[in-house]
Structures are given as structure tokens and as C-alpha cells.
Amino acid sequence: MVHKKIGLALSGGGARGFAHVGVLKVLAESGIPIDVIAGTSAGSIVGGAFAAGMSADEVMEMASRVRWGNMVRPSLSPLGVLSNAPMGRFISEELPVSKFEEMPIPFAAVACDFATGDEVVFKGKGNLAFAIRASCAVPGVFAPLRQPDGRLLVDGGVISPTPVEALWGLGADVVIAVDLVACGATFRAEPRSALGMMFQSAMMLLRTASINQHYRADIVIIPQIAHLRPDQINKRDEFVTLGKAAASESIASIRKLVD
């Protein structure tokens, strides 16, 4: 019997990315093999760690060491309030490999060319920490990264919140997507300013874009984390627990696809 190549697409979502760790844990415990992985933003960190050869338990241990202090610092660039340079150092220290070509599981990190709006998919070869930093460079919040050819790169969530397309490029036969944006955000109150209106409208657009990518996936896992903010790193345990719960509900359907 020919083994179906199973792909895992992990969306962005800031601190909500801890829910991806819970999903990975359940997939591993259920014996679901993952052959290729694509990640956007927070999904690129978790997916990159797993693809680099870390076990689900090791990824959970890494997640326990994440702090704002080892992820960001004030930026000197006028294009972003913060720099994610510390994130690059954290990734280099935590992950067992530093280059795409060294990864046991084929992996793609998705960023966006700010000038053209084109999807930029890092895969195959190159510096892993740079690719993940680029995938996580939320416009306006983090300074964009610049490639040697001059291109400015920003968060892949701008163009591909849940990177299903990148998995097809890696040869996936079955796609499992984990969307941390689709559940919405019940913690938000009605906006009281023009800036609040703009911010919440942007989040609606992001959610719509993410949901519109679901049709290319075979299974979509949506953790019920609407009540948790994307900046709540201190809620990591709750994120992980809710990720586990959502994945557990989908295991039977995943097994049918795999078998």
C-alpha cells in the first residue's frame, strides 16, 4: 500500500500559537505521521521546531521557555515599533538544526513580499531562523526583514494566514490545517475610536482570508480560543489544553483520511 503523504498547515495567531503545541501532542500520541509541514507566523515557530526533529514533548518544553523578553526588543527602525531579532537568537539556540536542508521533515515558512503582496515561501535551503523571523514580522508591530535582493518581507498572515497552498508545493496528499484565527475574538469590546474600528476591521479581514483557505484542506482543526488574546503568553497552558481538545475531536476523521 502506498503511504499517503500527510501535510500539516499551521496558522498564525501570536500567543495563540501555543494551541499548535497541543495539536502536535495529540497527533503524535495518536500515531498520525506528519510528512511535510508549512507554517505562517506563530505556526512557523511551532512547525519549524517539529520539522527540525524535535518531539512534541520537546516542542512543549521549548514553549515553556518563551517570554516576551526573549522574543522581542524595541526597534531602531521607523518601519516597526519592535524588532524580533531576539526571536532569531532563541530559535537558533533551541532548534537542533539551523538550515532548511538539514531538517528531517520538509518544511515551508510563509512570508509576504510587502512591495508586491506576493507569497514568499521559504523551503528547501537557507537560514531557518531568518525565514521564521520574516514569517512573524507583523506589519507595523515588527520591523520588516530585508532580503539580500532588497525585498521587504512581512508576516505571512498578510497573504496566507493558514498556509495550505504551501503544503501542496511540498507534495502533500492529505492536508490537516490548524486555524487559530477562524474562531474569532469574543474578548473584544465595541470599538470606541477610529483606530479601534480600523484594528477590528483588519482582524475581520484576516479571519475571512483564513477561512477562505479552508476549502483546500481535508481537515480543519479550530481550537476554541476566541476568549483568549494573541498577546497572552501567560495563558500558554490553557492554549495547549484547548489545542489538545480540538485535535482529539478530529482524530477519528483524520484516521479515515489516512487509512
Side-chain angles (χ1 to χ4, degrees):
M1 178 181 287
V2 177
H3 168 64
K4 293 179 181 179
K5 186 177 286 187
I6 303 171
L8 183 64
L10 302 179
S11 80
R16 288 180 167 192
F18 290 119
H20 286 319
V21 182
V23 172
L24 276 180
K25 180 72 172 171
V26 170
L27 293 177
E29 290 175 346
S30 302
I32 304 298
I34 303 300
D35 300 297
V36 292
I37 302 175
T40 290
S41 200
S44 73
I45 300 176
V46 177
F50 193 72
M54 297 174 70
S55 68
D57 285 334
E58 288 172 332
V59 177
M60 287 190 68
E61 290 177 11
M62 181 189 77
S64 71
R65 293 187 285 273
V66 171
R67 303 287 187 276
W68 284 120
N70 57 22
M71 289 283 122
V72 304
R73 63 168 172 77
S75 171
L76 300 176
S77 170
L79 300 181
V81 177
L82 301 172
S83 166
N84 64 10
M87 179 190 298
R89 290 192 293 272
F90 180 84
I91 291 166
S92 297
E93 292 170 358
E94 294 283 340
L95 271 56
V97 303
S98 60
K99 298 179 180 179
F100 278 84
E101 49 267 44
E102 300 169 339
M103 305 182 84
I105 299 176
F107 171 67
V110 178
C112 175
D113 183 329
F114 189 72
T116 64
D118 292 335
E119 183 180 72
V120 178
V121 180
F122 291 93
K123 61 180 180 179
K125 63 180 181 179
N127 184 279
L128 182 57
F130 178 89
I132 292 175
R133 284 184 60 202
S135 184
C136 294
V138 179
V141 178
F142 294 110
L145 272 68
R146 192 179 294 275
Q147 285 189 304
D149 61 7
R151 286 197 299 178
L152 279 180
L153 302 178
V154 297
D155 194 306
V158 171
I159 186 67
S160 186
T162 304
V164 175
E165 295 286 344
L167 280 182
W168 297 122
L170 292 174
D173 299 309
V174 175
V175 170
I176 303 167
V178 186
D179 189 345
L180 307 181
V181 180
C183 63
T186 57
F187 59 83
R188 292 197 185 100
E190 185 174 300
R192 298 181 180 180
S193 67
L195 183 62
M197 286 290 293
M198 291 173 61
F199 176 77
Q200 291 199 28
S201 295
M203 292 301 99
M204 288 180 195
L205 289 172
L206 179 63
R207 182 186 180 198
T208 300
S210 193
I211 292 172
N212 284 341
Q213 293 181 309
H214 289 184
Y215 79 98
R216 295 299 308 273
D218 297 289
I219 293 286
V220 181
I221 299 172
I222 304 176
Q224 297 307 300
I225 52 178
H227 60 292
L228 298 171
R229 300 196 312 270
D231 65 331
Q232 289 183 299
I233 285 181
N234 62 317
K235 298 287 187 179
R236 81 186 76 226
D237 291 342
E238 187 173 357
F239 281 123
V240 170
T241 297
L242 293 172
K244 287 181 178 179
S248 296
E249 291 176 0
S250 299
I251 285 298
S253 298
I254 292 172
R255 287 195 189 283
K256 289 181 181 179
L257 282 172
V258 173
D259 296 338

